[in-house]
Amino acid sequence: MKDNQKTAAAGVPRSRYAELKQMLEERRREIQAEVQGKMRGVREEGAWGGKLNEVLDAVESAEADIQEELEFSLVQMKSETLNKINDALVRLDQGSYGNCFECGDEIAPKRLRALPFAVRCKDCEEAREVAEQRERQMAARRGTSGLFLDM
Ligand SMILES: [Zn+2]
């Protein structure tokens, strides 16, 4: 088994590639099913609402519009996620998916399962969070001293 992995083509070992591909494709199927369900729901509600609008007063039909808008933005969000998954699959084929943006190490499959669009490994992400926190603290301190200067 180990020899197989060593001779695998550059970058992603075959088993890892297959695992990540399966993970992404499963997620894509899930979201596609959700989006299709929502679209059907919106269309049915729309047809129904059309008839109802004739009898509903202005306030109630406005509420129906808001509901429809919410559903629509949800579907929009899901299709953006679908785009990201498709991008990830392309990057996986090119061998650039699942590797840390900072150090180039492989991102743990467990982490990718939880965060399919993670671009950093756990260590780099944590280091970045610590750095950001420090920056925020510095900014806060600068903000406070700025306030004093203004006074
Ligand atoms: Zn890293």
Side-chain angles (χ1 to χ4, degrees), residues 100-105 120-125:
C100 176
F101 182 74
E102 303 274 350
C103 68
D105 270 1
R120 287 177 191 82
C121 69
K122 197 162 167 283
D123 288 348
C124 290
E125 189 65 49

Side-chain angles (χ1 to χ4, degrees), residues 55-143:
V55 279
L56 283 176
D57 65 27
V59 178
E60 275 176 321
S61 78
E63 270 169 17
D65 281 350
I66 291 169
Q67 185 62 36
E68 222 162 282
E69 256 167 57
L70 280 178
E71 294 277 302
F72 183 72
S73 55
L74 205 79
V75 167
Q76 227 171 4
M77 238 169 57
K78 297 266 180 205
S79 37
E80 270 163 35
T81 309
L82 270 183
N83 281 341
K84 278 191 197 168
I85 292 176
N86 285 335
D87 279 353
L89 278 164
V90 170
R91 276 189 289 139
L92 182 65
D93 272 329
Q94 292 166 344
S96 63
Y97 173 76
N99 282 52
C100 176
F101 182 74
E102 303 274 350
C103 68
D105 270 1
E106 286 180 4
I107 302 173
K110 213 176 117 195
R111 178 170 165 77
L112 285 173
R113 216 170 271 279
L115 303 158
F117 314 120
V119 290
R120 287 177 191 82
C121 69
K122 197 162 167 283
D123 288 348
C124 290
E125 189 65 49
E126 276 171 7
R128 202 176 72 114
E129 272 165 24
V130 168
E132 269 182 9
Q133 212 166 6
R134 210 172 290 152
E135 235 165 79
R136 265 201 299 276
Q137 278 168 357
M138 299 242 290
R141 237 171 270 153
R142 273 200 298 275

